[in-house]
Amino acid sequence: MTMNLFNQFLSPTFLGLPLIAIALMAPCLLYPSPAPGWQSNRWTTLQNWFIGSFIKQTLSPINTKGHSWALLLATLMVFLITLNTLGLLPYTFTPTTQLSLNMAFAVPLWLATVIMGFRNSPTHALGHLLPEGTPTPLVPILIIIESISLLIRPLALGVRLTANLTAGHLLIQLVSSAAFSLLLSQTTAASLAVGLLLLLTILEVAVAMIQAYVFVLLLSLYLQENV
Amino acid sequence: MPQLNPAPWFLILVFSWLIFLALMPPKILTHQFPHEPSTLTAHKPKANSWTWAWQ
C-alpha cells in the first residue's frame, strides 16, 4: 500500500530514457525571451516586473560584492517556482520532489558561499562559529554546535524543499483517492473530501511558491553572512 | 521511497545543472530594466500645486 502511494515520485523513464529531462525543460519553454526591438507583451512585462522586484528585494540587504550573484538567484527563483507550481497540475511530475535535485542545488550553492567567505575573510567567517558574549566555559561546546549547524544547512535546505512538496503531493493523492472511492457509496463524505481537497490545493499552491522563495532567501542569507 | 533510489541521482544532477546554467540564464538576461530607480537615490519629486487656468 505504501509503495503504491509513493509510486508517483518514481523518476519517470520511457524505454530507458529519463523523462525528468523533459520535465526540467518546462521552465525554459514557458518563458519567451523578450526581443530587443519589440514592445513587451503582457507575459513578458509580468516576468520583467517579477524578476526586477524580486532581485531588488533579495539583493538590498547584501553588499555590492554579493550583487554578482543576482543572475544566479533570479534564475534559481524562476526555475524553482515554475517547477513547483507546474507540478500541481494533475498527472505532472514535479522534479523538485526528487531529493537528488534539491541536494544537487543546495550543496554546491551553500558550499560556494562558505568557500567565498573563507577565502575573502577567513577570520570573519570563522567568527560566525562563536556568538558574541558567550561565557568562557561554554566556548568549546558552542563552537561544536555552531559548526554542526553550519554543516547541516545544505541538508536542511534540500530536505525542506523535498519534504514540503512530497508531503503536499502525497496528501493530495490520498484525499483525492478517498473522495473518488467514496463518490458513489457515501456522497456526503465524498463531498467533504472534495472540499478538503480544494483547500489543500490552495495550500499547495501557496506552499509551492513559498518554498521556492525560502530556498532562495536562505541562500541569499548565507551569502550575506559570507560576503 | 523511490526518491532515495541512487540510480538516477548523478543523471538528475547533470541534467538539472545543465539546464540551470545553459538554458535559463539567457532567458533571464534578455530582460532589461531601463528605468528602474535605485532604492538609495529614490526621492519624491516636489509636488507643485496645479490649478485649471479658467478664463
Side-chain angles (χ1 to χ4, degrees):
Chain A
M1 191 57 200
T2 347
M3 272 317 294
N4 202 12
L5 287 173
F6 276 100
N7 274 349
Q8 60 173 313
F9 302 118
L10 202 58
S11 188
T13 53
F14 178 69
L15 300 176
L17 297 168
L19 294 176
I20 194 173
I22 304 176
L24 286 169
M25 293 277 290
C28 312
L29 300 171
L30 282 175
Y31 299 112
S33 314
W38 294 93
Q39 186 76 306
S40 315
N41 57 11
R42 283 193 180 89
W43 188 224
T44 314
T45 316
L46 186 64
Q47 289 174 58
N48 200 7
W49 167 81
F50 178 73
I51 295 171
S53 59
F54 175 74
I55 283 299
K56 228 191 309 194
Q57 281 289 312
T58 315
L59 289 184
S60 48
I62 305 179
N63 68 16
T64 329
K65 267 200 334 189
H67 286 193
S68 47
W69 280 61
L71 178 63
L72 193 130
L73 293 176
T75 321
L76 192 64
M77 181 63 184
V78 169
F79 197 51
L80 288 179
I81 204 171
T82 313
L83 290 176
N84 287 354
T85 42
L86 278 180
L88 289 169
L89 297 168
Y91 292 107
T92 48
F93 177 71
T94 322
T96 34
T97 51
Q98 302 299 304
L99 188 63
S100 47
L101 194 138
N102 298 333
M103 294 303 283
F105 280 119
V107 173
L109 293 173
W110 162 83
L111 197 60
T113 61
V114 167
I115 290 177
M116 251 178 82
F118 273 104
R119 258 190 61 192
N120 296 340
S121 45
T123 326
H124 181 72
L126 279 172
H128 280 303
L129 294 179
L130 186 65
E132 259 186 63
T134 38
T136 331
L138 282 178
V139 162
I141 304 170
L142 212 56
I143 292 183
I144 295 174
I145 293 175
E146 291 285 335
S147 315
I148 295 173
S149 87
L150 178 74
L151 294 171
I152 239 181
R153 278 176 178 178
L155 200 69
L157 212 54
V159 173
R160 181 187 299 111
L161 188 55
T162 314
N164 269 292
L165 264 76
T166 311
H169 284 248
L170 255 171
L171 268 174
I172 288 178
Q173 187 180 11
L174 277 170
V175 174
S176 58
S177 58
F180 187 67
S181 59
L182 287 175
L183 200 57
L184 294 172
S185 56
Q186 297 158 48
T187 323
T188 26
S191 54
L192 281 174
V194 167
L196 180 64
L197 189 62
L198 191 67
L199 294 172
L200 201 57
T201 313
I202 295 171
L203 175 72
E204 283 313 308
V205 172
V207 164
M209 297 196 278
I210 289 170
Q211 284 305 319
Y213 176 63
V214 160
F215 194 97
V216 180
L217 180 74
L218 282 171
L219 265 178
S220 75
L221 284 173
Y222 302 155
L223 181 66
Q224 202 182 325
E225 266 188 15
N226 286 304
V227 107
Chain B
M1 256 177 65
Q3 289 119 310
L4 298 176
N5 179 13
W9 273 54
F10 183 66
L11 219 63
I12 288 178
L13 177 131
V14 167
F15 270 132
S16 57
W17 272 97
L18 198 73
I19 291 170
F20 177 66
L21 288 178
L23 298 181
M24 291 291 295
K27 293 201 160 284
I28 307 284
L29 275 173
T30 47
H31 285 280
Q32 290 171 359
F33 304 94
H35 301 301
E36 283 299 314
S38 134
T39 46
L40 285 173
T41 59
H43 63 275
K44 269 179 76 67
K46 244 183 66 168
N48 299 319
S49 66
W50 168 84
T51 52
W52 280 105
W54 294 116
Q55 286 158 334

